[in-house]
Amino acid sequence: MSVLQALKDPRRLRIEVLAGLVVALALIPEAIAFSIIAGVDPRLGLFASFTMAVTISVLGGRPAMISAATGATALVLAPLVASEGVQYLFAAVVLGGVIQVVLGVSGVARLMRFIPRSVMVGFVNALAILIFTSQLPYLRDVPWVVYPMVAVGIAVIVLLPRLTTAVPSPLVAIVTLTGFVVLASVAVPDVGDQGELPSDLPSLLVPDVPFSVETLQIIAPYALAVAVVGLLESLMTAKLVDDVTDTRSNKSREAWGQGGANIVTGFFGGLGGCAMIGQTMINVKTSGARTRISTFLAGVFLLALVVGLGDVVATIPMAALVAVMVMVAVGTFDWHSARPSTLRRMPLSETAVMLSTVAVTVLTHNLAYGVVAGVLVAMTLFARRVAHLTEVTEVPTDQEGTRVYAVTGQLFFASSNDLVNQFDYVNDPEHVVVDLTDANVWDASTVATLDAVETKYARHGKRVSIVGLDEHSAARRERLSGHLGAGH
């Protein structure tokens, strides 16, 4: 559904507006928490959430996806803030945005097709675990009344949709518990305890750093990390939303849109960020939003709430937001993937990929690291599996003084290294034919192996004919054969 269609449909517009409000309320404490992680004033995280959400609502390629200040960005930039100060953070965010634009325009988003399903499942499950565990600090060393409040909030979120869907159940839970705390004068941790809310609007600025090569050397590693981590999380989130909504997004546009959002955020004194999966699930899955309106309004509502209604927002009990995030975690986890029947049916390698993704993500609290680890494990196990499918068999022939070997399978570094040992160099006749009709040559390692086979036979005064190469394999061998040297 387009923005214009949503504006003409009162029911859809109500869903988008209320979804944006729920997301804005959920963003506030997280933006403050991420600012603390980065070692900066809470305003930087809140301003970043505003500028990221509003900018990506226009530039992004995935409608209804929420971008804001994130923990991954905060973790990456924290050392830079500690060593160089906040102005260098702004410069790094701007440069990170520029790198994202370049990567987006160059088509890096197309690499998403190399991420296996098992990594996606591990990514989603790890996300759910991180969302849940991130709420645990709000449940430790708190008054006993917090626990029944969380239980009531969860009950409202679960049961209200069975009666009506006119208003998002998370919003009802937040309003109900806030009303209870105010009317009953109950002292419980609230949003105001998380940090001071800003009282003014963000303003345009230029990072106060020397424009020199030395500055570039300082901020470049952090900017590159922000760009890569942000793109990876954003593109994975976009893919997840595609699956939830059964629609397609423009990944390339999302990539350079994230860059544009970070550039704007850096020039407005924000922390920088990327797609937020938890808030996106609140927006898309829990609240039912589908257009850019909800994303735009999430940013606008956030700024209006913290600047204009800061005193009211500060009274929202953390128990209400914990209840919302716990249900987001429950809804995000792929419970089917953890069923014993599913685990018994799935190949061990697929389960290993999923578990490695989950383990690395949970241990490092970094979704990007988990995805990279999962992809590496998947590649290794795939290469190992394919390498075992290569066979060398002798084929009967009527030609005297000739032995024919047929090679089948995919020949690459993992499978071709043992190929050189599959021939009888001493006892074979004067002429040996190696038929590669049912094989493919994929890399220099295989070409070097074929050269080694010819060399070994030549030492025994025998001639080798390599036949049956397809067009691409023949071209690769012709280009590389005899030019690889002993090291290959």
Side-chain angles (χ1 to χ4, degrees):
M1 178 176 286
S2 68
V3 171
L4 290 178
Q5 289 174 322
L7 291 173
K8 295 176 182 178
D9 184 345
R11 179 180 175 277
R12 169 50 56 183
L13 185 58
R14 184 186 72 248
I15 291 173
E16 300 293 321
V17 171
L18 293 178
L21 179 58
V22 173
V23 170
L25 291 170
L27 278 173
I28 293 170
E30 293 214 354
I32 296 172
F34 297 150
S35 299
I36 294 171
I37 290 173
V40 298
D41 190 288
R43 297 192 310 164
L44 271 64
L46 292 165
F47 288 163
S49 296
F50 162 69
T51 54
M52 288 292 297
V54 169
T55 306
I56 205 65
S57 70
V58 178
L59 300 181
R62 174 64 263 179
M65 193 167 82
I66 304 297
S67 292
T70 61
T73 303
L75 287 171
V76 168
L77 293 173
L80 177 63
V81 175
S83 62
E84 305 294 338
V86 72
Q87 293 296 327
Y88 281 81
L89 177 146
F90 300 149
V93 170
V94 172
L95 180 58
V98 172
I99 295 173
Q100 287 179 323
V101 171
V102 172
L103 292 175
V105 172
S106 63
V108 72
R110 289 193 293 270
L111 296 176
M112 282 296 294
R113 65 178 181 270
F114 293 109
I115 297 180
R117 180 187 176 279
S118 297
V119 174
M120 270 300 297
V121 173
F123 173 81
V124 169
N125 290 344
L127 165 66
I129 293 170
L130 288 180
I131 291 174
F132 180 80
T133 56
S134 68
Q135 305 310 304
L136 296 181
Y138 302 117
L139 299 175
R140 297 193 191 105
D141 300 322
V142 295
W144 67 269
V145 73
V146 168
Y147 303 110
M149 286 177 64
V150 172
V152 170
I154 291 174
V156 170
I157 294 170
V158 173
L159 299 177
L160 184 63
R162 301 181 184 181
L163 301 175
T164 178
T165 56
V167 182
S169 57
L171 180 59
V172 175
I174 292 170
V175 172
T176 300
L177 292 178
T178 302
F180 166 75
V181 168
V182 172
L183 295 176
S185 299
V186 179
V188 294
D190 54 32
V191 172
D193 297 330
Q194 304 305 305
E196 183 181 356
L197 300 177
S199 58
D200 54 358
L201 298 175
S203 57
L204 188 64
L205 58 83
V206 176
D208 186 15
V209 297
F211 289 88
S212 63
V213 175
E214 182 181 356
T215 299
L216 183 62
Q217 291 174 336
I218 293 172
I219 66 174
Y222 298 97
L224 181 60
V226 165
V228 173
V229 170
L231 277 187
L232 190 53
E233 292 203 20
S234 299
L235 295 177
M236 290 289 285
T237 305
K239 192 174 188 302
L240 183 60
V241 177
D242 290 351
D243 294 339
V244 170
T245 61
D246 291 324
T247 57
R248 294 181 63 184
S249 57
N250 186 331
K251 304 295 191 304
S252 294
R253 177 176 174 179
E254 183 61 38
W256 62 256
Q258 289 288 334
N262 271 311
I263 292 172
V264 171
T265 298
F267 281 124
F268 274 92
L271 179 59
C274 60
M276 293 197 73
I277 308 170
Q279 277 63 27
T280 297
M281 289 297 101
I282 293 176
N283 196 45
V284 174
K285 204 168 185 178
T286 307
S287 303
R290 291 293 183 270
T291 74
R292 300 174 186 274
I293 295 174
S294 58
T295 306
F296 177 82
L297 289 179
V300 172
F301 282 144
L302 182 147
L303 189 65
L305 287 169
V306 299
V307 174
L309 299 172
D311 293 339
V312 176
V313 172
T315 64
I316 296 175
M318 289 304 300
L321 299 175
V322 168
V324 173
M325 297 309 294
V326 166
M327 290 312 301
V328 169
V330 171
T332 301
F333 195 89
D334 186 346
W335 295 100
H336 180 269
S337 68
R339 291 177 184 170
S341 58
T342 303
L343 295 174
R344 285 195 301 267
R345 188 179 301 112
M346 291 294 288
L348 188 59
S349 59
E350 299 291 329
T351 303
V353 171
M354 181 191 74
L355 292 178
S356 62
T357 304
V358 172
V360 173
T361 300
V362 172
L363 289 174
T364 64
H365 285 234
N366 192 311
L367 291 162
Y369 290 167
V371 171
V372 171
V375 171
L376 290 176
V377 172
M379 290 169 58
T380 303
L381 294 177
F382 175 77
R384 181 176 179 273
R385 188 163 61 248
V386 173
H388 285 28
L389 298 178
T390 302
E391 293 184 354
V392 178
T393 56
E394 184 179 346
V395 179
T397 178
D398 296 331
Q399 301 177 33
E400 287 191 15
T402 300
R403 176 169 288 179
V404 179
Y405 289 98
V407 181
T408 60
Q410 306 304 311
L411 301 178
F412 62 109
F413 61 89
S415 61
S416 62
N417 286 333
D418 293 332
L419 186 65
V420 72
N421 299 317
Q422 302 299 311
F423 303 94
D424 189 352
Y425 300 102
V426 176
N427 299 315
D428 276 348
E430 297 296 321
H431 182 214
V432 175
V433 177
V434 179
D435 187 354
L436 299 178
T437 301
D438 295 320
N440 297 94
V441 175
W442 290 111
D443 60 7
S445 294
T446 304
V447 175
T449 297
L450 294 176
D451 286 352
V453 170
E454 288 185 313
T455 301
K456 283 180 173 290
Y457 273 116
R459 288 174 184 166
H460 292 84
K462 299 169 184 179
R463 180 169 55 89
V464 178
S465 299
I466 296 177
V467 300
L469 289 166
D470 63 59
E471 180 182 352
H472 296 291
S473 298
R476 186 170 289 110
R477 181 168 183 260
E478 182 178 357
R479 184 172 66 255
L480 299 176
S481 182
H483 300 287
L484 295 175
H488 296 272

